[in-house]
Amino acid sequence: MSLPRNPSLLLILLAGLAWNSACSDDTIEPPEPPRATAIAVTPAAATLQALADDVQLSAEVRDQNGRVMTGAAVTWVSTSARVATVDATGLVTARANGTATITATAGGASGSAAVTVAQEVIGIEVLPDGWKVSARDTVRMTAEAWDANGFTVPGREYTWTSSDTSVASVDGSGLVRGVAEGTVLITAARAGVNGQVPLTVAHEDWGDLVTFYEATDGQGWIENDGWLSDLPIGQWHGVTTDDAGHVTELILSASDLEGRIPPELGNLTRLEVLSLERNSLRGPIPAELGKLRNLRALILGVNDLVGSIPAEIGDLANLEVLRLRRNDLTGTVPPELGKLRNLARLGLDWNDLAGPIPLDLMGLERLRVFHFPGNASLCAPGSTDFATWLLQLDVYVGPLCNEADRDALAALYNATGGEGWKHSTGWRGDGLLEEWHGVGTDSLGHVSTLDLSNNDLAGRVPAVLAQLAGLTSLRIDANGGLTGPLPMSLSALPLKELRYRGTGLCVPPDDSFGEFVATIPSHEGTGEECAPLSDREVLEILYTATGGDDWENSENWLSDLPLEQWRGVTTDDEGRVVAVALPRNRLAGTIPPELGRLANLSELDLSLNDLTGPIPAELAGLANLSRLNLALNGLGGPIPPELGTSLPV
């Protein structure tokens, strides 16, 4: 066979032969389908400089023959979704600083790209903005950086600077300290980017005044012109300053201040006058006020202040006026006030202060006016030296600690015919008790001994004598005119000596009183026991023990009229007292134990009076008592447990 001369025709014939040969061979397999064997991700690496920035990745899939597989399904995965997420299309979004590997998978093939999120600082905010600070005070500044999308860039690596360190300084942590009045720029720098804010440094007293304003509800003051404004603090209402701008006076009396006095006022060391009287201030007086060494007047009266007077007030060496009247102050007067050598006026009246005034106050040689009435139990010692000191003042108003003693002695004088005594020097006068005949006193002027023996006393010993709470020795012997029973209330006294021999006195028929007499180390009596008291005698004792002469209404008392005609007394058909009702009648003194001898008494009402001392346990012996009202008095001590078992429920 001859071959065609045309080469192209020859190729066609050869191809046909090959096809015929293949079709005729049953062992030849069909071609392998394409499968993914390699993936190329582009770009292979990317860096994102702001959160929420994104980058689109693409994946090229090739088969086993190296051919590109168009339309192959690809799955995208991030190894750290916290750093970067990827969606189904390969779009990668930055979430946090760090690195993540983004992998594309198709079949058994995969490819990846490295993604780095590294926020770039493009701006810095410094806070607080436009702040104001006192000289010598501090404020903490903070800085926050952000990226191109406004997300915060973490980290606190800032460099802090002040534009004028003579006005304010700043340390590496952002703590700014005011130095002198003026304005500066505080800058925080990071990664070549700066952020800055203006800062005003005010006078060093400015911040303490702001604190005071906020603590006392400055917005509600009657007048607050200038406060918290940019005006100099010397132009704020109630504020006076010296040439250096320091506060020397803060006067805001009757201005509707409410809240507490802040301790920061103690930082106003140039303050000379602090007057906050007639407001509604509450809480304690800050001890920090004791740092105001230049203070000449501290006036805090007519408020609602509570607690004790700080001992630190005694450190105010230049203080001339201290007025704390009409508050709710409690406790005792601190002896440290005796250090106030320049004090001229002292007002402690109408508080709840207690106890004797300290003897240290006698060192206040410049004091001219001293007011202390209206307190719980505050009183001045009645001793010679203290009373003499009080009398040299221009004005003093307040009780002496021994005034109750004076009243008790006056009652004794009246009850035992004092005008007829042999010796009565000083009695019924205004002199010191220790100058009265037969009277001995302790350091506070309280009667400690009483010797009126052989002095022509006549009558009955009044129960009010029991008000001499410090009495340790009582001598009334050789007074033949004294008659009747010894007052049972004497058992409340700390007697070490009791002498009444040569009198007509007797011992009440009461077991407890007998036991009391037996315990007195030095006792000389008559050896006589009294007959039982009549109802009339008991009421007479009640009258003298509670200041009957000063009652609001004492109609017919101590008269010879039947007891039922005595004001407030009710009797039964036999004339025995069954009720005593004397409310709101200005009874003062102590309740005499002898009331327990009114055997038929069923009602006793002594409420709304000025009675003091204990409730006598002897009232429990009133078997018929069904109603007892002692409310709204000044009674003290425990309720006798015997009353709980005697009164009906």
Side-chain angles (χ1 to χ4, degrees), residues 205-291:
D205 291 350
W206 174 86
D208 297 315
L209 290 179
V210 172
T211 299
F212 172 77
Y213 179 90
E214 294 172 345
T216 58
D217 189 25
Q219 292 183 344
W221 294 356
I222 291 177
E223 188 173 352
N224 58 8
D225 291 351
W227 280 79
L228 305 196
S229 72
D230 291 332
L231 290 173
I233 57 178
Q235 296 182 32
W236 295 8
H237 172 70
V239 179
T240 302
T241 57
D242 59 17
D243 293 341
H246 291 286
V247 178
T248 57
E249 294 184 0
L250 181 57
I251 302 176
L252 290 168
S253 302
S255 296
D256 277 1
L257 276 65
E258 295 186 1
R260 294 172 176 255
I261 301 174
E264 285 80 0
L265 278 189
N267 297 330
L268 302 177
T269 55
R270 305 292 180 87
L271 197 62
E272 298 178 9
V273 177
L274 177 59
S275 179
L276 306 177
E277 197 168 53
R278 300 192 305 279
N279 284 295
S280 299
L281 296 170
R282 59 184 186 276
I285 298 174
E288 288 79 1
L289 296 187
K291 298 188 297 183

Side-chain angles (χ1 to χ4, degrees), residues 432-497:
L432 299 172
L433 293 185
E434 61 192 65
E435 298 174 351
W436 293 17
H437 171 74
V439 177
T441 61
D442 61 16
S443 62
L444 295 179
H446 290 297
V447 176
S448 57
T449 63
L450 183 59
D451 185 356
L452 295 174
S453 58
N454 192 25
N455 202 39
D456 288 348
L457 277 67
R460 293 196 172 193
V461 178
V464 72
L465 205 62
Q467 293 184 17
L468 302 176
L471 191 64
T472 60
S473 175
L474 174 61
R475 296 197 57 176
I476 50 177
D477 47 309
N479 286 292
L482 290 177
T483 60
L486 289 170
M488 292 175 60
S489 56
L490 293 181
S491 62
L493 299 177
L495 287 175
K496 303 299 181 185
E497 181 181 28

Side-chain angles (χ1 to χ4, degrees), residues 25-306:
D25 187 356
D26 293 336
T27 64
I28 298 175
E29 297 180 358
E32 181 181 6
R35 53 187 174 79
T37 60
I39 299 178
V41 177
T42 56
T47 298
L48 303 177
Q49 296 179 327
L51 301 187
D53 271 2
D54 53 41
V55 59
Q56 181 66 58
L57 301 183
S58 61
E60 183 180 75
V61 182
R62 291 183 177 272
D63 63 12
Q64 67 274 25
N65 296 316
R67 292 191 292 266
V68 175
M69 298 180 65
T70 304
V74 176
T75 301
W76 295 90
V77 176
S78 171
T79 58
S80 179
R82 182 188 66 83
V83 174
T85 59
V86 60
D87 67 8
T89 69
L91 182 66
V92 177
T93 304
R95 301 301 181 190
N97 291 313
T99 59
T101 299
I102 307 299
T103 302
T105 304
S110 64
S112 61
V115 174
T116 299
V117 178
Q119 289 176 279
E120 181 181 13
V121 176
I122 68 163
I124 295 175
E125 181 180 25
V126 180
L127 295 174
D129 189 5
W131 196 252
K132 196 171 186 178
V133 66
S134 295
R136 300 186 183 179
D137 203 355
T138 61
V139 61
R140 172 72 63 183
M141 309 295 284
T142 61
E144 183 177 281
W146 66 85
D147 62 20
N149 291 327
F151 289 96
T152 299
V153 180
R156 299 184 179 276
E157 305 82 10
Y158 296 93
T159 300
W160 294 90
T161 56
S162 166
S163 63
D164 188 345
T165 56
S166 67
V167 174
S169 62
V170 59
D171 67 12
S173 68
L175 183 66
V176 178
R177 182 177 300 276
V179 177
E181 293 182 76
T183 301
V184 295
L185 288 177
I186 301 299
T187 301
R190 177 179 174 185
V193 178
N194 293 337
Q196 56 186 202
V197 292
L199 175 75
T200 300
V201 178
H203 190 276
E204 61 184 271
D205 291 350
W206 174 86
D208 297 315
L209 290 179
V210 172
T211 299
F212 172 77
Y213 179 90
E214 294 172 345
T216 58
D217 189 25
Q219 292 183 344
W221 294 356
I222 291 177
E223 188 173 352
N224 58 8
D225 291 351
W227 280 79
L228 305 196
S229 72
D230 291 332
L231 290 173
I233 57 178
Q235 296 182 32
W236 295 8
H237 172 70
V239 179
T240 302
T241 57
D242 59 17
D243 293 341
H246 291 286
V247 178
T248 57
E249 294 184 0
L250 181 57
I251 302 176
L252 290 168
S253 302
S255 296
D256 277 1
L257 276 65
E258 295 186 1
R260 294 172 176 255
I261 301 174
E264 285 80 0
L265 278 189
N267 297 330
L268 302 177
T269 55
R270 305 292 180 87
L271 197 62
E272 298 178 9
V273 177
L274 177 59
S275 179
L276 306 177
E277 197 168 53
R278 300 192 305 279
N279 284 295
S280 299
L281 296 170
R282 59 184 186 276
I285 298 174
E288 288 79 1
L289 296 187
K291 298 188 297 183
L292 302 175
R293 303 304 171 86
N294 291 301
L295 201 63
R296 294 183 293 103
L298 178 58
I299 303 172
L300 303 177
V302 197
N303 279 287
D304 299 312
L305 300 173
V306 298

Side-chain angles (χ1 to χ4, degrees), residues 559-607:
S559 72
D560 293 331
L561 293 173
L563 296 181
E564 63 184 9
Q565 295 185 33
W566 291 18
R567 199 258 177 187
V569 178
T570 304
T571 61
D572 59 17
D573 294 340
E574 298 179 356
R576 301 297 303 274
V577 175
V578 295
V580 176
L582 296 169
R584 295 182 183 274
N585 204 39
R586 291 207 312 226
L587 276 69
T590 59
I591 301 173
E594 285 85 353
L595 281 183
R597 297 299 174 184
L598 296 176
N600 289 32
L601 194 67
S602 62
E603 178 182 347
L604 178 61
D605 186 353
L606 303 179
S607 60

